[in-house]
Amino acid sequence: MDNLYQELILEHNKNPRNFGELKEGECLKQEGLNPLCGDRLIVSLKLSEDGEQIIEDVKIRSDGCAISRASASMMSEAIKGKTVKDAIAIFHEFHDLLLKKHDPSVCPHLGKLEVFSNIWKYPSRVKCAALPWHTLNEIMEQTSKPGQSTSE
Ligand code: ZN
């Protein structure tokens, strides 16, 4: 991996942003596991209650390899303040990036997350980088189901 990219990953591993858990009852929580590597994390998400579904706060307690921790840290920065809809769009771009199908000239929203653009060369690490996003996506799928009624 490129040195600069490697440094960024190591730095986020050492000082993960938005590390920890949000208060029970005020957030949505989901646990993610990658048994192949032993990565484990808990994503907590606080959404605005005004129907906009803005991610007001996110915290991630990550326990695992440098790649999974750095990915979780950078994901938290990328989605904080965004709507669930936007976060899902970033998730799809990141997913394409991991599969080497991403074209930054078409989808320029990844920013720093592009550091994972070479990860497809290391298939065993792809799951590590994808773990936080799949965990986040499980929460978002629960919240963005069509037919959600506000008439109650
Ligand atoms: Zn891992």
Side-chain angles (χ1 to χ4, degrees), residues 127-140:
K127 281 198 157 60
C128 303
L131 178 66
W133 289 91
H134 282 295
T135 312
L136 170 75
N137 197 45
E138 277 180 52
I139 301 180
M140 294 194 300

Side-chain angles (χ1 to χ4, degrees), residues 59-117:
K59 285 210 185 298
I60 305 173
R61 182 176 297 286
S62 55
D63 179 19
C65 68
I67 300 276
S68 70
R69 281 166 59 87
S71 178
S73 173
M74 285 186 222
M75 178 183 85
S76 74
E77 285 189 321
I79 62 166
K80 200 167 174 178
K82 300 273 198 315
T83 61
V84 166
K85 206 178 144 202
D86 287 344
I88 289 173
I90 301 172
F91 165 69
H92 287 303
E93 282 190 39
F94 189 71
H95 200 255
D96 283 350
L97 181 82
L98 295 182
L99 299 175
K100 210 194 161 196
K101 289 193 299 193
H102 181 253
D103 181 351
S105 63
V106 180
C107 301
H109 310 110
L110 286 179
K112 238 194 257 179
L113 295 167
E114 302 251 357
V115 300
F116 293 99
S117 61

Side-chain angles (χ1 to χ4, degrees), residues 24-66:
E24 205 73 51
E26 292 179 4
C27 65
L28 302 158
K29 271 189 200 185
Q30 184 71 42
E31 185 181 27
L33 291 168
N34 172 19
L36 290 175
C37 177
D39 306 319
R40 178 178 176 271
L41 49 82
I42 296 168
V43 176
S44 13
L45 218 58
K46 187 175 187 292
L47 300 179
S48 66
E49 286 163 9
D50 56 4
E52 297 274 332
Q53 290 200 306
I54 293 163
I55 298 171
E56 288 185 335
D57 206 357
V58 52
K59 285 210 185 298
I60 305 173
R61 182 176 297 286
S62 55
D63 179 19
C65 68

Side-chain angles (χ1 to χ4, degrees), residues 7-27:
E7 258 171 49
L8 194 58
I9 285 173
L10 292 176
E11 199 271 318
H12 273 266
N13 172 49
K14 221 171 158 188
N15 304 301
R17 317 298 195 272
N18 304 300
F19 189 88
E21 283 180 59
L22 295 172
K23 230 187 269 170
E24 205 73 51
E26 292 179 4
C27 65

